[in-house]
Amino acid sequence: MNIDLLRQKLTHAARLRTEDDSVPYAFEQRIMGSVRAGNLFRSHARVEWGAGLWRAAISCAAFAAILGAFSLWFPGESAVVEDFGVALENAILPTADEALEVL
Amino acid sequence: MSETKQLEERPCGEAEDGELVPRILRGEESAFEALVVRHQGRVFATVRRYARREDEVQDIVQEIFLKVHQKLSTFRGEAPFHHWLMRLAVRTCYDFLRAHQRNKESLFADLNPGETDWLDRFVAAPEEAGDDEDAARSLVERILEQLSPSSRLVITLLEIEERSVKEIAELTGWSQTAVKVRAFRARREMRKRLGRLVLKKYL
């Protein structure tokens, strides 16, 4: 049997069929009811705000990740100092000493 | 009064789709209702290509319009509204097909007498079996139900609705290459299903 001819005939048969575009009575009321039930009209502004905040949050997270990666790969001098207290003292006291010398 | 303001004040039934969209986004319910009334027939006709049961059809149409409402802010107005709507409709129908893949083998067992008669006539004299008969249409429907969701979608759009590859790519979100590959596979799958049907029935 010629399967290709069968396929062509069946496809042509489907093409001849005009699809039914009738709509059930007052179907738009059903849709409007479900939209109202989901409170979608009022939620548009909220959704837009939410989308904006999410975009901002994603940008912030990406920036923080880049900075984190940068500080891990290029630690700099501060990573050498183990004791934060000593580092703070070294940074502040010389300035205070200089101020006292001026007086 | 500005021209824009005058356009905004047109009754919803007379306003263009592009005018209704910002009104809906501002919360005007009647504008959305007008949009639904205007396009629901077209959406029903599209959905009926993929779902047979009327309750399923209505549920899908409802889902499509809810998605329209939720995603309306992404409509940029660069193309006509009904193109955007059809994209949403076709993708929702595809999701439906993927979620409701039926038992494919059982469907061949119960060909009705009309379908059997049409096949018998085709076997006896292929050229004489009419393709405008109800039996041929219900037979092709049966075959389509047995295809994978992507094959059914691509056969429907490409061969039944006779859309171009570019149009199908826009509707489905697939690349043009993917459409061509899927069309090739879909035709092969359809031939295989038809071959199996003939084998079961006549050998």
Side-chain angles (χ1 to χ4, degrees):
Chain A
M1 188 193 291
N2 188 342
I3 297 292
D4 276 325
L5 182 63
L6 178 60
R7 191 179 68 82
Q8 281 169 21
K9 272 202 173 275
L10 290 177
T11 307
H12 192 243
R15 220 174 279 155
L16 290 175
R17 174 187 195 141
T18 47
E19 211 53 69
D20 176 15
D21 65 353
S22 64
V23 176
Y25 177 71
F27 188 75
E28 65 277 7
Q29 294 305 320
R30 172 176 160 176
I31 293 178
M32 296 309 291
S34 56
V35 168
R36 282 187 204 108
N39 229 353
L40 294 178
F41 283 106
R42 266 173 273 167
S43 67
H44 258 304
R46 250 193 344 242
V47 168
E48 280 174 24
W49 260 102
L53 288 174
W54 270 114
R55 275 196 292 273
I58 289 165
S59 312
C60 288
F63 187 64
I66 290 167
L67 285 183
F70 188 80
S71 64
L72 276 177
W73 284 320
F74 307 101
E77 284 180 12
S78 61
V80 178
V81 179
E82 286 178 5
D83 189 344
F84 179 74
V86 174
L88 188 69
E89 214 168 78
N90 288 342
I92 293 172
L93 288 182
T95 326
D97 286 345
E98 279 172 21
L100 285 172
E101 278 172 17
V102 170
L103 288 172
Chain B
M1 191 182 286
S2 70
E3 193 183 337
T4 318
K5 188 70 183 166
Q6 281 175 342
L7 284 175
E8 280 177 8
E9 287 174 356
R10 285 210 292 184
C12 293
E14 293 171 16
E16 301 283 328
D17 293 341
E19 295 167 40
L20 291 175
V21 171
R23 290 166 69 168
I24 297 165
L25 291 174
R26 284 200 301 270
E28 195 178 323
E29 290 188 25
S30 57
F32 185 63
E33 191 172 350
L35 205 67
V36 172
V37 170
R38 191 173 297 167
H39 294 286
Q40 59 186 353
R42 191 198 301 256
V43 175
F44 264 99
T46 300
V47 173
R48 284 189 180 117
R49 286 198 185 277
Y50 304 97
R52 285 293 111 193
R53 278 173 36 205
E54 191 56 23
D55 59 327
E56 283 179 341
V57 170
Q58 291 185 17
D59 287 347
I60 298 169
V61 173
Q62 179 173 330
E63 192 184 333
I64 289 167
F65 278 110
L66 286 178
K67 280 184 185 173
V68 165
H69 195 278
Q70 284 164 349
K71 298 185 174 185
L72 202 58
S73 55
T74 65
F75 172 66
R76 284 174 292 176
E78 290 162 359
F81 175 79
H82 70 265
H83 288 188
W84 184 79
L85 173 64
M86 281 302 116
R87 273 206 298 276
L88 215 57
V90 165
R91 289 173 195 188
T92 307
C93 288
Y94 182 51
D95 291 342
F96 167 80
L97 289 178
R98 285 199 297 180
H100 296 82
Q101 291 198 55
R102 292 192 164 61
N103 181 357
K104 294 180 176 177
E105 293 308 319
S106 65
L107 289 163
F108 271 153
D110 48 0
L111 287 185
N112 67 39
E115 291 164 346
T116 308
D117 179 52
W118 189 90
L119 263 182
D120 288 343
R121 279 187 287 128
F122 178 84
V123 171
E127 298 298 336
E128 286 170 24
D131 49 14
D132 56 346
E133 295 174 29
D134 287 343
R137 286 175 204 153
S138 74
L139 195 57
V140 72
E141 189 57 44
R142 200 181 281 276
I143 301 291
L144 286 174
E145 279 182 6
Q146 293 174 52
L147 298 179
S148 66
S150 63
S151 294
R152 180 172 183 176
L153 187 72
V154 85
I155 289 280
T156 303
L157 294 171
L158 190 70
E159 303 214 340
I160 298 173
E161 293 183 15
E162 296 181 288
R163 292 177 187 269
S164 68
V165 169
K166 190 180 170 211
E167 274 181 293
I168 297 170
E170 282 168 8
L171 280 169
T172 55
W174 302 337
S175 68
Q176 291 193 34
T177 311
V179 173
K180 287 177 192 165
V181 170
R182 283 175 171 161
F184 173 76
R185 283 186 196 150
R187 289 190 188 110
R188 193 177 58 189
E189 192 183 342
M190 196 170 172
R191 266 198 299 273
K192 196 171 128 192
R193 296 272 169 202
L194 285 168
R196 198 176 292 173
L197 167 71
V198 170
L199 201 70
K200 260 187 184 172
K201 185 149 173 48
Y202 295 101
L203 295 176

